[in-house]
Amino acid sequence: MSRSVEELTIGEILEKYPFASAYMEQHNLEVEGKEHLSLGEYLASFSEEEIEDRALDGPAVMLGLREYIARMLSFLGADEQKVRSLTILPGTNKSGEPEGFEEFTIRTGEIIAIVGPTGSGKSRLLGDIEWVAQRDTPTNRQILINGEKPDQKWRFSTSDKLVAQLSQNMNFVMDLTVEEFLHLHAESRMVENRKEVVGKIIACANDLAGEKFDLTTPITSLSGGQSRALMISDTAILSRSPIILIDEIENAGIDRKKALSFLLSQEKIVLMATHDPMLALLGHKRIVIRNGGIDKIIDTSEEERTMLGEIEKVDRKVQNLRASLRRGEILTKDSF
Amino acid sequence: MNLVTVSGPPSSGKTAVILKTIDSYKRQNINVGVIKFDCLHTDDDFLYERAGITVRKGLSGGLCPDHYFVSNIEEAFAWGQKEGFDILISESAGLCNRCSPYIKDVKAICVIDNLSGINTPKKIGPMLKSADIVVITKGDIVSQAEREVFASRVSTVNPRATVIHVNGLTGQGSFELSTLLYDRDLDTESLKGKELRFSMPAALCSYCLGEKRIGEQYQMGNVRKINLEEN
């Protein structure tokens, strides 16, 4: 039986649980040189005044550390629960009428488009998936993972979220270079071979972006296309979330088709809220949302698939014109 | 009646989160009232009224907002009982990051936003560290990676809290939050004898009493000097 955190010295805690240093740091506890003390002894060494000034709550710091270690151990030790499929069982729309499908299963490697006017219930659908609804949300839907009633951990875990989101208005806000940023993210995900992972993310982002960038670029000065490329490649590689929701990808400075196939190669389920014909038809199926419920689910038809080829051609043409403009060229009718 | 205390830095989205959460209660015929505490000015009471929610506001003016909160919450609670609410939500801004209006055995929610920066969690004191639920807002405008890093920092600072993401614009996450706030079987009868989770910041010097002049001879009471010698 191992000794409890209360009995260990700070030095022993840090040796046994190296990640605990992040806890000490975030609580502004300067433990250097105090390794021989137990955390209780260290906390008791503060004067009344220091406790008041630091707003230090000793017992809470103690309990918090125990909880933190337990969480981190379960995060590190947990076999990543592979999500292979997601099943939606129908509920009702805003008027209480049953939704227009029987049972809908999405498997990893599939792209599903979500269409419908603003306010029709896309957020609620996503909310139901994220909350793994069990007929306990306003839509009365039920969500199954791998065909079974899922673990409740998906609801509250901060490290294992079911859905990662990439949306149109997202921006980087941190004052960091690409490299610092990726290391920070990798660190928070407890990744061990950080250098390698960071290299992989940047290589992949550059493959997706129209204009290349490097590790020393500040993330806030990336162009829209570069930002999106970095977000996609970072989410695909570092995020543990098995489902990715994309809320429109702007058609600028990024190879969207490549981006999608990259996400799929990482065994993700891709949900895409979009009215862009090229993206929507890349989906295997599309969910039509109306009045707060799923109205119907449409399989992408043969005809639509043929049209996709045409649309892609137009898309490529526009992309080429864009690239010419960037190079400072004059556009001619022939170039279209 | 249930009492819930919601707190968080200014402009973090407290009012938007509460409004969206109350939407869910309305559909379940749960009767909600709001008591809004602020410092100099607030128009949030109009926002609540427009949404058809019974609201009272209290402005602390020249007093420390959290001291003002704790001296008035008992009366506010009694008002809520008289109105017959199922749940009374108190909203107050943690202006100095040190304060927290949380009461033992009363659900405590801290609202912070993704835009405030990843070093913010460690700068906030008991308001974040002793909350039961931490609501993170504005997730729709920062990258997935920043959301993940921010949430992991919050969990490090307060590992015992439930962390939940709410979008104050679309309401995504607010239904889920509503299920965590209201407990049908809980009926707090009075706040008498209850205690704050953490002491309020001390403030008792001549400047608290209206002194305006600068200079050592005017400084009396609880005064402390900055150390400029070393870092």
Side-chain angles (χ1 to χ4, degrees), chain A residues 21-29, chain B residues 118-119 121-123 129 153-154 156-157:
Chain A
S21 64
Y23 182 84
M24 306 293 182
E25 207 237 306
Q26 289 295 318
H27 281 82
N28 303 308
L29 300 172
Chain B
I118 48 161
N119 290 321
K122 100 175 195 190
K123 289 189 211 158
K129 289 190 181 122
R153 291 274 167 106
V154 167
T156 308
V157 168

Side-chain angles (χ1 to χ4, degrees), chain B residues 3-7 18 35 37 69 73 88-92:
Chain B
L3 174 65
V4 173
T5 52
V6 179
S7 175
I18 297 173
I35 173 86
F37 288 95
F69 166 89
I73 190 65
L88 174 66
I89 300 179
S90 93
E91 181 195 338
S92 60

Side-chain angles (χ1 to χ4, degrees), chain A residues 25 71 124 165 173 185 239, chain B residues 122 144 146 148 159 176:
Chain A
E25 207 237 306
R71 276 198 190 195
R124 187 61 257 161
Q165 280 191 62
V173 292
H185 190 200
S239 182
Chain B
K122 100 175 195 190
Q144 174 71 23
E146 284 161 296
E148 288 178 9
E176 290 75 4

